[in-house]
Amino acid sequence: MNTNEDDRSFQRWLKKAARITGLGLSTEERQRNLEEQKHARCEQWKAELLSYSPKVVFMLKHLRLSGCAVPPSNVICAPCDLTRSGGFHPAGAIVLCQGHFGSKKHMEDTLIHELVHMYDHCKFNVDWQNLRHHACSEIRANSLSGDCRYMREVGRGYVSFSKQHQACVRRRAILSVRANPACPDAASAERAVNEVWESCFSDTRPFDEIY
């Protein structure tokens, strides 16, 4: 019997068990281990969505046709603050906030939301400092991504049986525009959304309709 090899195997098993259970780890080690698990799950779901989600594949195709191809390396899993689940950078990158997704479907909705922003930026030359431009893209992204489907709204505590989708899109668009550093106050955010509402809510490109 190779006692040294058995001891090393046992130590490796203990370390693996500690990573899985968190037992025997310091607070810092547990936090690092948790982030690694979140990152691994985010990367796995991202790869599956980029390859197999019909809506994601559709958006990637139309971005490519518009001259703005999105390689997988431009979709980044990273830790974020608790105020958001994803983000888009005009340079051509999308951030998925690892650990903020309760399901792969939630991640899919977030990814579609950010891809709509990327599509708008590529296709329509959006000026993100222009509140009307920003409002239009937020209306489209919230409407087309699935962010405002009925059960997602119920989970947020919003229940309505009349124009629930529109109310959600409007509310979330105003919140996003209000967070724009170029927006002076809540009234300006609401005004920008109202001014572009009809044309932007009815614009479902590149989709034929709201799904």
Side-chain angles (χ1 to χ4, degrees), residues 3 5 68-69 81 85 88 96 101 108 125 154 164 167 169 177:
T3 304
E5 181 60 31
C68 297
D81 60 47
S85 56
F88 157 72
L96 295 174
F101 303 108
E108 181 184 41
N125 196 27
V154 170
Q164 170 270 333
V169 171
V177 175

Side-chain angles (χ1 to χ4, degrees), residues 83-95:
T83 62
R84 59 195 180 118
S85 56
F88 157 72
H89 193 283
I94 287 172
V95 172

